[in-house]
Amino acid sequence: MDGYYREAVSSFTSSLERFYEFCIKVLCKKRNIENDVFSIVWKQVSNQSERQLGAFLFLWASEFGELPQLLSSKDTGFRNSVIHKGKIPTKEEALEYGGTVLAIIRPKIAQLKLQCEEEIERVTFEYIQSCSKLVEGQVQGGKMCANTIVSLTAGEEKHNTQTLEDALAEILVWRQMVALTKGITKM
């Protein structure tokens, strides 16, 4: 929305990689892998996205008996050009790539929710708990949850089927409402 299309592609890529990480955590939780063991193993792959992808592929295949849909070689080449070679994508290219990432993640969320609901809840709770740990000198904060275009909790089916363009249009409407509200409060 702000014209930072290279950063958008980077964010879409990060979203996909974090989704793989989430799936790995959920599927390891389903296999009763202890958190300490998971942490030790994750440390070995945390800085290498190819290793994370391999872990995701094998865990997904062992749970669901299928190869999950991944980025095509064209999409991977586009991503690499943007991330590693400095290509500045057009708005249309960024939106297309974001739509592709969304189309990869959403069906997997639905599939994961059907077979691993309890593990999703446990992984999510543990994450929220870890965010609550205070470091010396920190003040206790609050927590809140907001649905994003990729959501485990969105109740409305429309939310889970809207296009990236529709979600961005909704954000634009919210931005305009906030701007109006700020203008009203300054009077």
PDB file of all heavy atoms in Angstrom, residues 149-163:
ATOM      1  N   ILE A 149      -4.564 -11.505   7.607  1.00  0.00           N
ATOM      2  CA  ILE A 149      -5.071 -12.238   6.443  1.00  0.00           C
ATOM      3  C   ILE A 149      -4.794 -13.738   6.562  1.00  0.00           C
ATOM      4  O   ILE A 149      -5.517 -14.557   6.030  1.00  0.00           O
ATOM      5  CB  ILE A 149      -4.520 -11.654   5.131  1.00  0.00           C
ATOM      6  CG1 ILE A 149      -5.254 -12.242   3.937  1.00  0.00           C
ATOM      7  CG2 ILE A 149      -3.016 -11.831   5.039  1.00  0.00           C
ATOM      8  CD1 ILE A 149      -5.004 -11.534   2.631  1.00  0.00           C
ATOM      9  N   VAL A 150      -3.753 -14.100   7.288  1.00  0.00           N
ATOM     10  CA  VAL A 150      -3.462 -15.499   7.594  1.00  0.00           C
ATOM     11  C   VAL A 150      -3.774 -15.674   9.073  1.00  0.00           C
ATOM     12  O   VAL A 150      -3.100 -15.102   9.924  1.00  0.00           O
ATOM     13  CB  VAL A 150      -1.989 -15.853   7.311  1.00  0.00           C
ATOM     14  CG1 VAL A 150      -1.685 -17.273   7.734  1.00  0.00           C
ATOM     15  CG2 VAL A 150      -1.658 -15.656   5.844  1.00  0.00           C
ATOM     16  N   SER A 151      -4.825 -16.439   9.378  1.00  0.00           N
ATOM     17  CA  SER A 151      -5.279 -16.517  10.760  1.00  0.00           C
ATOM     18  C   SER A 151      -5.743 -17.919  11.119  1.00  0.00           C
ATOM     19  O   SER A 151      -6.385 -18.596  10.316  1.00  0.00           O
ATOM     20  CB  SER A 151      -6.422 -15.523  10.969  1.00  0.00           C
ATOM     21  OG  SER A 151      -6.920 -15.615  12.276  1.00  0.00           O
ATOM     22  N   LEU A 152      -5.425 -18.321  12.333  1.00  0.00           N
ATOM     23  CA  LEU A 152      -5.918 -19.594  12.860  1.00  0.00           C
ATOM     24  C   LEU A 152      -7.291 -19.433  13.488  1.00  0.00           C
ATOM     25  O   LEU A 152      -7.996 -20.406  13.697  1.00  0.00           O
ATOM     26  CB  LEU A 152      -4.961 -20.118  13.933  1.00  0.00           C
ATOM     27  CG  LEU A 152      -3.595 -20.571  13.463  1.00  0.00           C
ATOM     28  CD1 LEU A 152      -2.663 -20.752  14.649  1.00  0.00           C
ATOM     29  CD2 LEU A 152      -3.710 -21.862  12.669  1.00  0.00           C
ATOM     30  N   THR A 153      -7.665 -18.197  13.818  1.00  0.00           N
ATOM     31  CA  THR A 153      -8.858 -17.985  14.622  1.00  0.00           C
ATOM     32  C   THR A 153      -9.987 -17.239  13.923  1.00  0.00           C
ATOM     33  O   THR A 153     -11.038 -17.073  14.521  1.00  0.00           O
ATOM     34  CB  THR A 153      -8.497 -17.207  15.898  1.00  0.00           C
ATOM     35  OG1 THR A 153      -7.918 -15.955  15.521  1.00  0.00           O
ATOM     36  CG2 THR A 153      -7.533 -17.989  16.768  1.00  0.00           C
ATOM     37  N   ALA A 154      -9.779 -16.772  12.713  1.00  0.00           N
ATOM     38  CA  ALA A 154     -10.828 -16.002  12.041  1.00  0.00           C
ATOM     39  C   ALA A 154     -12.079 -16.862  11.909  1.00  0.00           C
ATOM     40  O   ALA A 154     -12.039 -17.955  11.366  1.00  0.00           O
ATOM     41  CB  ALA A 154     -10.360 -15.532  10.675  1.00  0.00           C
ATOM     42  N   GLY A 155     -13.189 -16.353  12.430  1.00  0.00           N
ATOM     43  CA  GLY A 155     -14.428 -17.111  12.417  1.00  0.00           C
ATOM     44  C   GLY A 155     -15.186 -17.020  11.110  1.00  0.00           C
ATOM     45  O   GLY A 155     -15.836 -17.970  10.687  1.00  0.00           O
ATOM     46  N   GLU A 156     -15.130 -15.885  10.470  1.00  0.00           N
ATOM     47  CA  GLU A 156     -15.885 -15.702   9.233  1.00  0.00           C
ATOM     48  C   GLU A 156     -15.178 -16.382   8.066  1.00  0.00           C
ATOM     49  O   GLU A 156     -13.999 -16.178   7.837  1.00  0.00           O
ATOM     50  CB  GLU A 156     -16.019 -14.212   8.903  1.00  0.00           C
ATOM     51  CG  GLU A 156     -16.808 -13.427   9.905  1.00  0.00           C
ATOM     52  CD  GLU A 156     -16.847 -11.947   9.543  1.00  0.00           C
ATOM     53  OE1 GLU A 156     -16.723 -11.614   8.350  1.00  0.00           O
ATOM     54  OE2 GLU A 156     -16.983 -11.142  10.462  1.00  0.00           O
ATOM     55  N   GLU A 157     -15.921 -17.183   7.319  1.00  0.00           N
ATOM     56  CA  GLU A 157     -15.331 -17.868   6.170  1.00  0.00           C
ATOM     57  C   GLU A 157     -14.811 -16.869   5.150  1.00  0.00           C
ATOM     58  O   GLU A 157     -13.807 -17.096   4.498  1.00  0.00           O
ATOM     59  CB  GLU A 157     -16.350 -18.815   5.524  1.00  0.00           C
ATOM     60  CG  GLU A 157     -15.765 -19.677   4.427  1.00  0.00           C
ATOM     61  CD  GLU A 157     -14.532 -20.486   4.849  1.00  0.00           C
ATOM     62  OE1 GLU A 157     -14.456 -20.933   6.008  1.00  0.00           O
ATOM     63  OE2 GLU A 157     -13.632 -20.657   4.010  1.00  0.00           O
ATOM     64  N   LYS A 158     -15.485 -15.717   5.036  1.00  0.00           N
ATOM     65  CA  LYS A 158     -15.062 -14.675   4.105  1.00  0.00           C
ATOM     66  C   LYS A 158     -13.616 -14.278   4.369  1.00  0.00           C
ATOM     67  O   LYS A 158     -12.835 -14.054   3.446  1.00  0.00           O
ATOM     68  CB  LYS A 158     -15.978 -13.456   4.222  1.00  0.00           C
ATOM     69  CG  LYS A 158     -15.544 -12.252   3.413  1.00  0.00           C
ATOM     70  CD  LYS A 158     -16.392 -11.032   3.795  1.00  0.00           C
ATOM     71  CE  LYS A 158     -15.638  -9.772   3.598  1.00  0.00           C
ATOM     72  NZ  LYS A 158     -14.838  -9.256   4.654  1.00  0.00           N
ATOM     73  N   HIS A 159     -13.255 -14.215   5.640  1.00  0.00           N
ATOM     74  CA  HIS A 159     -11.894 -13.838   6.002  1.00  0.00           C
ATOM     75  C   HIS A 159     -10.872 -14.808   5.415  1.00  0.00           C
ATOM     76  O   HIS A 159      -9.807 -14.411   4.980  1.00  0.00           O
ATOM     77  CB  HIS A 159     -11.744 -13.790   7.522  1.00  0.00           C
ATOM     78  CG  HIS A 159     -10.365 -13.406   7.943  1.00  0.00           C
ATOM     79  ND1 HIS A 159      -9.971 -12.102   8.071  1.00  0.00           N
ATOM     80  CD2 HIS A 159      -9.273 -14.163   8.245  1.00  0.00           C
ATOM     81  CE1 HIS A 159      -8.702 -12.059   8.431  1.00  0.00           C
ATOM     82  NE2 HIS A 159      -8.262 -13.293   8.553  1.00  0.00           N
ATOM     83  N   ASN A 160     -11.192 -16.071   5.417  1.00  0.00           N
ATOM     84  CA  ASN A 160     -10.261 -17.100   4.947  1.00  0.00           C
ATOM     85  C   ASN A 160     -10.266 -17.277   3.439  1.00  0.00           C
ATOM     86  O   ASN A 160      -9.506 -18.087   2.921  1.00  0.00           O
ATOM     87  CB  ASN A 160     -10.565 -18.427   5.630  1.00  0.00           C
ATOM     88  CG  ASN A 160     -10.296 -18.357   7.114  1.00  0.00           C
ATOM     89  OD1 ASN A 160      -9.282 -17.809   7.541  1.00  0.00           O
ATOM     90  ND2 ASN A 160     -11.203 -18.861   7.907  1.00  0.00           N
ATOM     91  N   THR A 161     -11.133 -16.559   2.746  1.00  0.00           N
ATOM     92  CA  THR A 161     -11.188 -16.693   1.288  1.00  0.00           C
ATOM     93  C   THR A 161     -10.930 -15.377   0.566  1.00  0.00           C
ATOM     94  O   THR A 161     -10.805 -15.377  -0.646  1.00  0.00           O
ATOM     95  CB  THR A 161     -12.565 -17.244   0.844  1.00  0.00           C
ATOM     96  OG1 THR A 161     -13.586 -16.367   1.310  1.00  0.00           O
ATOM     97  CG2 THR A 161     -12.797 -18.651   1.362  1.00  0.00           C
ATOM     98  N   GLN A 162     -10.830 -14.276   1.297  1.00  0.00           N
ATOM     99  CA  GLN A 162     -10.625 -12.997   0.637  1.00  0.00           C
ATOM    100  C   GLN A 162      -9.253 -12.958  -0.037  1.00  0.00           C
ATOM    101  O   GLN A 162      -8.303 -13.584   0.410  1.00  0.00           O
ATOM    102  CB  GLN A 162     -10.799 -11.825   1.613  1.00  0.00           C
ATOM    103  CG  GLN A 162      -9.683 -11.668   2.593  1.00  0.00           C
ATOM    104  CD  GLN A 162      -9.900 -10.533   3.580  1.00  0.00           C
ATOM    105  OE1 GLN A 162      -9.400 -10.625   4.663  1.00  0.00           O
ATOM    106  NE2 GLN A 162     -10.609  -9.494   3.254  1.00  0.00           N
ATOM    107  N   THR A 163      -9.197 -12.214  -1.121  1.00  0.00           N
ATOM    108  CA  THR A 163      -7.941 -12.080  -1.841  1.00  0.00           C
ATOM    109  C   THR A 163      -7.030 -11.111  -1.103  1.00  0.00           C
ATOM    110  O   THR A 163      -7.482 -10.337  -0.246  1.00  0.00           O
ATOM    111  CB  THR A 163      -8.174 -11.543  -3.261  1.00  0.00           C
ATOM    112  OG1 THR A 163      -8.697 -10.207  -3.168  1.00  0.00           O
ATOM    113  CG2 THR A 163      -9.127 -12.443  -4.055  1.00  0.00           C
TER     114      THR A 163
END
